[in-house]
Amino acid sequence: MSETMAQTTEWGALKTDVTGYVGIDTIQEQIRRKALKRGFEFNIMMVGASGLGKSTLVNTLFKAKIARRSCLPESNKEPIIPKTVEVKAISHVIEEKGVRLKLTVTDTPGFGDHINNENCWLPIIEYINDQYEKYLSEEINTSRKKHIPDTRVHCCLYFIAPTGHSLKPLDVEFMKRLDKIVNIVPVIAKSDTLTVEEREAFKKRIRDELSSQEVSTYPMKDLDVDAEDSAINAALREKMPFAVVGSDKAHKVEGKDVLGRKTNWGLIEVENRNHCEFADLRDMLVRTHLQDLKEVTHSIHYENFRFDRLQARKNFEKGDAKNKKIDESTC
């Protein structure tokens, strides 16, 4: 019966008009109220060498002191570069117009800061997979919680140095290693050091190199579900990597407070699309694709991890049972 219904209706192909008010239109409001009570979660990871403005950019994105400046030394002390890549997460609850968001920012101090950066991505891969493992353990628990805490990384912002030339081997290697387990969004940090022509040429070289290396960045082309999504995501892919400038300092412009970087020749306005692409990045991460980032994490990256882990357990149990039978037959 269900198969027949699926073939005939196709979610809208067969439409039946109602003769009076039923109240189906309130479902959306019911979902909204429950979601607002529970609040929302979003977990973002920052990866890139020290000094590229990772903490400043995240603080600018959410207009709050979210990320710690791990690369800055205390007064009268030399900056300490970790011997290995560290993974540090810090959570905040931010609220806007009655909507609560638990935001977890994960930093990776030490990444790309050494002479030998071989395997510096391994602690990051381990951390991402550990979050999947925690979620899976809770999910298959016989007495699991009503709401499973979600610490899975929904988005990885990868910061590219504004060299104006091409990607470094480490950039390519990192993204190739992680594009199958997390949503990667590449950004060109401190893009105000490039001219407009240099910036556009650099962006094109990066896109060409990622394409030739078969590196998949978010939003993935094969995940577009309809023509509308395809058009929106195609426009985003054309803009990537986003050339951004971060600043959490406000300056007065025509009586209004404007976030920007003040130089001897003028003010670089962070949210001005004529100056940089920060606004495009913010709109994608928060205003248009936040929920999709979470859904892709759950339905693609986490499902792949879940399948591999459960399949490995199944194979292990089969092997264990087989060995047990052999032991019994030899007795």
Side-chain angles (χ1 to χ4, degrees):
M1 181 66 180
S2 60
E3 292 178 1
T4 305
M5 285 291 290
Q7 291 172 4
T8 55
T9 62
E10 294 182 355
W11 278 99
L14 182 64
K15 185 179 177 182
T16 303
D17 294 326
V18 295
T19 57
Y21 181 71
V22 177
I24 298 172
D25 59 338
T26 65
I27 294 174
Q28 182 177 326
E29 180 61 21
Q30 295 172 45
I31 295 171
R32 190 187 75 86
R33 284 202 306 269
K34 291 200 73 172
L36 287 175
K37 285 181 181 179
R38 186 170 61 242
F40 301 90
E41 295 167 313
F42 187 58
N43 308 317
I44 189 169
M45 173 179 274
M46 308 180 297
V47 180
S50 298
L52 290 180
K54 301 188 296 293
S55 299
T56 301
L57 184 73
V58 171
N59 289 341
T60 311
L61 274 170
F62 296 97
K63 296 187 177 180
K65 301 294 183 183
I66 298 294
R68 298 173 292 192
R69 288 174 171 78
S70 55
C71 61
L72 292 183
E74 296 178 19
S75 58
N76 303 321
K77 288 187 179 181
E78 291 293 322
I80 299 173
I81 298 176
K83 293 182 179 179
T84 58
V85 177
E86 299 177 356
V87 180
K88 297 180 178 179
I90 184 167
S91 296
H92 297 264
V93 175
I94 56 180
E95 186 170 341
E96 183 182 45
K97 294 182 180 179
V99 179
R100 287 181 298 112
L101 175 70
K102 181 185 178 185
L103 177 69
T104 300
V105 177
T106 305
D107 197 3
T108 54
F111 179 86
D113 292 338
H114 302 88
I115 296 174
N116 181 6
N117 289 300
E118 186 178 2
N119 295 330
C120 65
W121 49 80
L122 291 181
I124 298 171
I125 293 175
E126 183 181 357
Y127 176 84
I128 292 171
N129 285 333
D130 281 349
Q131 308 319 303
Y132 289 148
E133 187 67 56
K134 286 179 183 177
Y135 195 91
L136 177 61
S137 298
E138 191 64 46
E139 191 179 53
I140 63 177
N141 195 336
T142 53
S143 57
R144 66 183 183 184
K145 299 173 183 175
K146 185 177 180 181
H147 175 68
I148 301 174
D150 189 2
T151 60
R152 298 170 296 180
V153 178
H154 301 129
C155 176
C156 173
L157 285 181
Y158 187 77
F159 289 71
I160 300 168
T163 62
H165 302 300
S166 61
L167 291 172
K168 297 176 183 178
L170 177 59
D171 298 331
V172 177
E173 194 63 34
F174 173 85
M175 286 189 270
K176 284 180 73 172
R177 300 266 180 170
L178 272 80
D179 68 347
K180 300 297 185 294
I181 64 171
V182 71
N183 298 314
I184 297 177
V185 176
V187 298
I188 300 172
K190 297 186 174 181
S191 65
D192 53 322
T193 60
L194 302 170
T195 66
V196 174
E197 293 78 12
E198 288 171 340
R199 187 178 77 185
E200 291 306 312
F202 190 33
K203 282 160 62 79
K204 187 178 185 307
R205 277 195 293 272
I206 291 172
R207 284 197 299 267
D208 291 343
E209 193 165 356
L210 291 177
S211 177
S212 66
Q213 294 289 337
E214 297 183 346
V215 175
S216 179
T217 58
Y218 181 87
M220 286 75 87
K221 192 172 183 179
D222 55 346
L223 296 182
D224 295 343
V225 296
D226 54 34
E228 184 183 3
D229 277 354
S230 183
I232 293 170
N233 291 339
L236 284 174
R237 286 188 285 267
E238 278 298 310
K239 291 178 182 177
M240 287 193 180
F242 295 109
V244 299
V245 177
S247 175
D248 47 13
K249 293 182 179 178
H251 302 271
K252 288 287 184 184
V253 177
E254 297 179 356
K256 295 181 180 179
D257 285 335
V258 174
L259 292 174
R261 285 166 52 87
K262 195 168 184 62
T263 66
N264 290 332
W265 52 87
L267 179 68
I268 302 163
E269 298 176 23
V270 169
E271 296 178 289
N272 189 331
R273 284 183 165 85
N274 294 322
H275 293 188
C276 72
E277 295 167 340
F278 168 84
D280 296 319
L281 173 65
R282 179 205 55 207
D283 287 355
M284 187 198 77
L285 288 179
V286 181
R287 301 181 181 181
T288 62
H289 284 66
L290 186 149
Q291 189 59 35
D292 187 66
L293 282 161
K294 296 179 65 173
E295 288 177 6
V296 171
T297 298
H298 181 77
S299 61
I300 305 297
H301 300 307
Y302 171 67
E303 278 301 318
N304 289 338
F305 174 88
R306 184 177 183 275
F307 176 83
D308 291 342
R309 183 65 81 238
L310 294 181
Q311 191 67 37
R313 290 183 185 180
K314 186 177 179 181
N315 292 339
F316 177 79
E317 289 169 0
K318 279 184 178 179
D320 197 41
K322 187 177 180 182
N323 292 335
K324 190 176 180 181
K325 284 183 179 181
I326 292 173
D327 291 340
E328 289 174 352
S329 63
T330 55
C331 291

